[in-house]
Amino acid sequence: MKIELLQYLVVTAKCNSITDAADQLFLHQTTLSSAIKNIEKTTGVEIFSRSKNGIVLTDAGKELVSLAQEIVDRWEQCLSLSLKKPEYQESLLLTPTIIADQYSLAFLSTYRQLAPQGKLSIATILQNDFIPQMLTGKYKMGIGLTEPAGINHVKNLFIKNGFLFTSLGIHFSYLYVSSKSRFAKREEVFLYELYGEQLAISENGYHSFHTPEHVRVLGTPVILANIHLVRKAVEQENMIAFYIPCTDQKTDWFCSGTSIKKIKLIDQPPSCIQQSFLIHKPNNYLSEIENAFLANISKVFNNC
């Protein structure tokens, strides 16, 4: 049985219904129901009694959940074991691609200063998949993005599941155009003014920028494999692009070293405003190097 199933069980046992538990785990209700039935079939134990008022643990279910909690705790302790020689520490950080694009090199540089022989692996993921992946327990550290209106829900969710939470900042999307664009000399622009322009977005950016507001003005976008091809499309094909940099400086990695212009989008859709946050397991689950690395995350965000 996969450890993720036991983690799902522990969370579900704290909720009044499968629906509430699925919401907390960011899973479809049918997915969670199937997982619980899988555990019941494997163990031969009826875990919950179900009624129109929700779910209640059976006596056998209470015993099973107690054992599952112990296994999950032990597994997390196993994951927290450091190598005997801390200078050879290997760590794993999960983050959406939009953050990795801008910060990977800065993260790697910071980590290597702390552990010259150590290794930091950065796993990238679609923004919508970040929360359920972190909740599997595979990752001890992560940097995520969510809409500001939902930040308290996300914070409470992670705290309930044993993570520490730190807000990093709010980030706005910007318009990027080539030096040949009719907007190249502008400092800011309204969305409606972009009528007739050709929008390029990456596969990862599709969920962020293929909004009803964008579609009404720009129609169907050109979808490219990655953000680097999007940047080429802006500079070489005079397309436009949107991006949510984690900095409001005049230039960022998307336009640095190119002729691309960065312009403020005045009436951006709410979904294009994001709040970044850092989550990690309690300090005693982390190595000394990982704790030192996390202490530098805010500084990295402010300097990039």
Side-chain angles (χ1 to χ4, degrees):
M1 184 184 300
K2 293 183 178 180
I3 192 69
E4 287 88 349
L5 293 180
L6 297 181
Q7 291 166 327
Y8 293 163
L9 174 60
V10 169
V11 173
T12 304
K14 299 175 183 177
C15 298
N16 295 320
S17 68
I18 296 292
T19 301
D20 291 344
D23 287 342
Q24 289 200 26
L25 289 165
F26 282 73
L27 295 172
H28 289 296
Q29 182 177 342
T30 53
T31 301
L32 182 57
S33 294
S34 297
I36 299 300
K37 289 178 181 178
N38 189 351
I39 299 173
E40 290 182 323
K41 181 179 179 181
T42 301
T43 60
V45 171
E46 182 184 7
I47 303 171
F48 298 103
S49 60
R50 298 165 175 82
S51 70
K52 62 181 180 180
N53 295 323
I55 55 175
V56 178
L57 280 169
T58 63
D59 290 340
K62 291 177 182 178
E63 185 176 353
L64 182 60
V65 169
S66 178
L67 291 171
Q69 180 70 72
E70 183 177 342
I71 293 171
V72 169
D73 290 343
R74 293 292 188 184
W75 175 244
E76 290 180 347
Q77 290 175 16
C78 290
L79 292 177
S80 71
L81 293 176
S82 299
L83 299 179
K84 292 182 179 179
K85 294 184 178 180
E87 63 268 23
Y88 294 107
Q89 176 73 41
E90 182 171 353
S91 302
L92 183 60
L93 175 73
L94 181 68
T95 187
T97 305
I98 198 168
I99 290 179
D101 287 336
Q102 184 171 345
Y103 286 102
S104 288
L105 291 178
F107 290 154
L108 293 171
S109 176
T110 299
Y111 193 89
R112 292 189 67 180
Q113 289 176 23
L114 298 168
Q117 303 301 318
K119 178 182 178 182
L120 173 68
S121 296
I122 301 174
T124 59
I125 196 169
L126 290 175
Q127 183 175 331
N128 291 346
D129 295 331
F130 175 81
I131 292 176
Q133 278 298 310
M134 282 299 306
L135 292 177
T136 65
K138 179 180 178 181
Y139 303 94
K140 295 186 291 183
M141 306 182 295
I143 299 175
L145 288 168
T146 190
E147 294 184 32
I151 192 66
N152 286 332
H153 172 68
V154 172
K155 178 180 179 180
N156 292 334
L157 173 63
F158 278 114
I159 290 176
K160 179 182 279 189
N161 283 276
F163 288 89
L164 299 182
F165 182 99
T166 303
S167 178
L168 293 174
I170 294 179
H171 316 287
F172 299 88
S173 65
Y174 285 83
L175 170 69
Y176 294 83
V177 303
S178 76
S179 58
K180 297 176 290 185
S181 169
R182 59 193 173 106
F183 301 106
K185 295 183 179 179
R186 298 276 295 275
E187 295 296 324
E188 54 187 29
V189 66
F190 284 96
L191 185 60
Y192 76 87
E193 296 181 83
L194 303 180
Y195 184 82
E197 296 290 325
Q198 182 68 66
L199 172 66
I201 59 178
S202 67
E203 292 178 348
N204 289 336
Y206 184 85
H207 297 291
S208 297
F209 301 119
H210 194 252
T211 68
E213 295 90 344
H214 288 129
V215 170
R216 278 196 292 270
V217 175
L218 297 164
T220 303
V222 174
I223 304 173
L224 300 170
N226 58 58
I227 194 67
H228 304 286
L229 291 178
V230 171
R231 189 163 66 164
K232 284 188 177 181
V234 173
E235 189 170 33
Q236 298 177 14
E237 302 299 327
N238 198 25
M239 294 185 183
I240 65 169
F242 298 107
Y243 188 68
I244 305 176
C246 295
T247 175
D248 57 3
Q249 298 175 13
K250 186 70 174 178
T251 60
D252 54 58
W253 85 269
F254 190 96
C255 54
S256 179
T258 73
S259 60
I260 295 175
K261 306 295 182 181
K262 179 180 179 180
I263 301 173
K264 183 177 180 181
L265 185 63
I266 298 174
D267 55 343
Q268 55 192 293
S271 60
C272 293
I273 302 173
Q274 297 289 311
Q275 184 162 350
S276 58
F277 57 90
L278 168 67
I279 53 172
H280 59 88
K281 287 293 187 178
N283 300 84
N284 59 307
Y285 282 89
L286 306 174
S287 69
E288 183 178 341
I289 294 168
E290 287 169 336
N291 279 310
F293 172 68
L294 291 173
N296 281 274
I297 292 293
S298 294
K299 186 185 299 183
V300 172
F301 258 66
N302 292 331
N303 291 337
C304 282

